[in-house]
Amino acid sequence: MKTDLLRVENLTKHFPLKGGRSVVHAVDGVEFTLQKGETLGVVGESGCGKSTLARVILRLLEPTSGRIFLEDTDITRLDAPRLRARRKDMQMVFQDAYASLDSRQRVGRIIEEPMKIHGVGDRKSRKVRVMELLGMVGLEPDAASRYPHEFSGGQRQRIGIARALALDPKLVIADEPVSALDVSIQSQVLNLMVDLRRTFGLSYIFISHDLAVVEHICDRIAVMYLGEIVEMTSRDELFLNPSHPYTRALLSAIPRPDPRRRGARRVILRGDIPSPENPPEGCRFHTRCPESRPSCRESSPHLCDTGTSEVPHIVRCHLYR
């Protein structure tokens, strides 16, 4: 039986604006669990709070409220020294592989640096570990003596993955790790991440705006809209039976290279995403929802199980009250 590695409870992150008269509601009341060895995909349009959620979970940003449990440890209550010790167990792969690597350091030193900071091994053993990690991500040993600008985008992302694995973490958060890569390179990096998960028993939170990519790598998927999770279920259930109108719109926008699907109904959302500084009253999606009703404008829906499948299928919508 699988056990929870991560548990997020009512997590909120608000950014006060200049003058303090209003705030940006970047993440609002997010809750989920992540099991050991599982990959959870987080999807949604740009600006919905995906990257902020990732940084708050790792406490790169401090949460406004809520709790984050890594195994049995509430990391929101840890002071700086204890948090630093737990950072070995949770690492991040960033979207911009070039910006996340120090251009003044050679690759070997970049990968070795987390081990030095946490006092892992001596100089000789760390060098051996660097060579092992380069081999794991498909790079030659001589890569250690080169600088990041000497590599392609896909190779730089492999370096970022090697650095994230240097401390044998339990949790890796990947923030759109393939969005800036060519399609052929995307598949190589995704397959690498799948292989590493099997080899090391990693747990991933995989953030993306591309549902086709998420379908390839994830076990469960959470859909975010304007700081909230509006639907969450298994990958297969989400693609076979999308329940929230927003999820249906996202899925209908996926290009399908199948001429038999030319007549498939496309859901077109009207209007722009509301400002997170002033989210709509009631359901946050009602201003764009093709199935909006009066109750959607009057009260905010709670997460509930649709009860339509054997696996949990959570949705935030008045259609399922």
Side-chain angles (χ1 to χ4, degrees):
M1 182 178 178
K2 290 187 176 181
T3 57
D4 290 342
L5 173 68
L6 181 73
R7 188 169 80 254
V8 174
E9 297 181 351
N10 199 27
L11 191 62
T12 298
K13 178 61 180 178
H14 293 166
F15 293 98
L17 296 178
K18 190 175 182 180
R21 289 186 295 271
S22 60
V23 298
V24 172
H25 298 254
V27 176
D28 254 343
V30 168
E31 295 191 347
F32 65 86
T33 60
L34 179 73
Q35 295 181 336
K36 292 181 179 179
E38 183 185 26
T39 299
L40 174 68
V42 181
V43 300
E45 295 168 288
S46 297
C48 71
K50 305 185 300 294
S51 295
T52 300
L53 175 63
R55 286 163 171 75
V56 173
I57 290 173
L58 295 181
R59 276 192 64 186
L60 300 178
L61 295 172
E62 289 299 322
T64 302
S65 63
R67 306 175 76 183
I68 306 161
F69 291 88
L70 185 66
E71 296 176 315
D72 294 327
T73 303
D74 183 355
I75 65 173
T76 59
R77 303 291 190 266
L78 297 181
D79 57 20
R82 290 189 296 163
L83 176 62
R84 183 174 180 175
R86 286 312 307 256
R87 287 200 188 280
K88 292 175 63 177
D89 296 325
M90 46 185 186
Q91 295 291 309
M92 190 164 184
V93 178
F94 295 90
Q95 178 179 1
D96 190 337
Y98 187 70
S100 67
L101 302 176
D102 189 339
S103 61
R104 298 167 297 178
Q105 292 190 12
R106 299 180 191 272
V107 166
R109 186 172 178 181
I110 290 172
I111 298 174
E112 181 189 7
E113 188 172 26
M115 294 182 277
K116 291 179 66 176
I117 290 173
H118 287 274
V120 176
D122 54 24
R123 184 176 181 181
K124 183 177 180 180
S125 64
R126 289 196 298 265
K127 184 175 181 180
V128 172
R129 177 63 173 162
V130 167
M131 295 304 160
E132 289 177 351
L133 289 165
L134 288 172
M136 288 175 190
V137 299
L139 294 174
E140 297 296 327
D142 66 350
S145 61
R146 295 157 61 189
Y147 290 92
H149 73 269
E150 299 179 63
F151 295 89
S152 68
Q155 289 172 322
R156 285 196 290 266
Q157 199 58 280
R158 290 171 184 265
I159 294 167
I161 293 171
R163 179 180 59 184
L165 296 178
L167 296 172
D168 294 321
K170 299 174 182 178
L171 169 66
V172 173
I173 299 182
D175 185 8
E176 304 213 36
V178 297
S179 62
L181 306 179
D182 293 338
V183 174
S184 60
I185 306 302
Q186 284 186 14
S187 62
Q188 294 176 18
V189 173
L190 290 173
N191 290 333
L192 169 64
M193 294 183 70
V194 171
D195 291 341
L196 292 172
R197 182 184 71 170
R198 292 170 180 163
T199 302
F200 298 103
L202 296 171
S203 299
Y204 288 134
I205 295 178
F206 191 93
I207 295 171
S208 180
H209 63 272
D210 189 335
L211 277 162
V213 169
V214 170
E215 183 180 16
H216 175 73
I217 195 172
C218 297
D219 302 306
R220 283 190 301 142
I221 300 174
V223 181
M224 284 191 72
Y225 183 80
L226 211 62
E228 296 180 334
I229 289 180
V230 297
E231 185 165 3
M232 182 164 54
T233 187
S234 69
R235 172 192 59 200
D236 294 340
E237 172 67 11
L238 187 88
F239 280 85
L240 288 173
N241 186 29
S243 297
H244 198 280
Y246 178 60
T247 307
R248 294 183 197 135
L250 290 181
L251 290 174
S252 76
I254 300 175
R256 301 287 186 182
D258 186 347
R260 293 171 296 180
R261 288 181 55 88
R262 285 179 181 170
R265 178 173 173 264
R266 174 76 186 275
V267 180
I268 305 295
L269 297 181
R270 307 297 179 184
D272 298 323
I273 302 176
S275 169
E277 180 184 348
N278 187 26
E281 296 291 332
C283 173
R284 294 187 177 184
F285 186 58
H286 84 261
T287 58
R288 305 172 71 199
C289 181
E291 302 181 49
S292 178
R293 54 183 63 181
S295 60
C296 300
R297 296 187 290 272
E298 296 167 358
S299 62
S300 177
H302 299 291
L303 287 171
C304 63
D305 197 315
T306 64
T308 58
S309 65
E310 296 181 357
V311 298
H313 191 154
I314 307 300
V315 65
R316 186 189 300 273
C317 183
H318 283 301
L319 296 175
Y320 300 93
R321 286 195 303 178

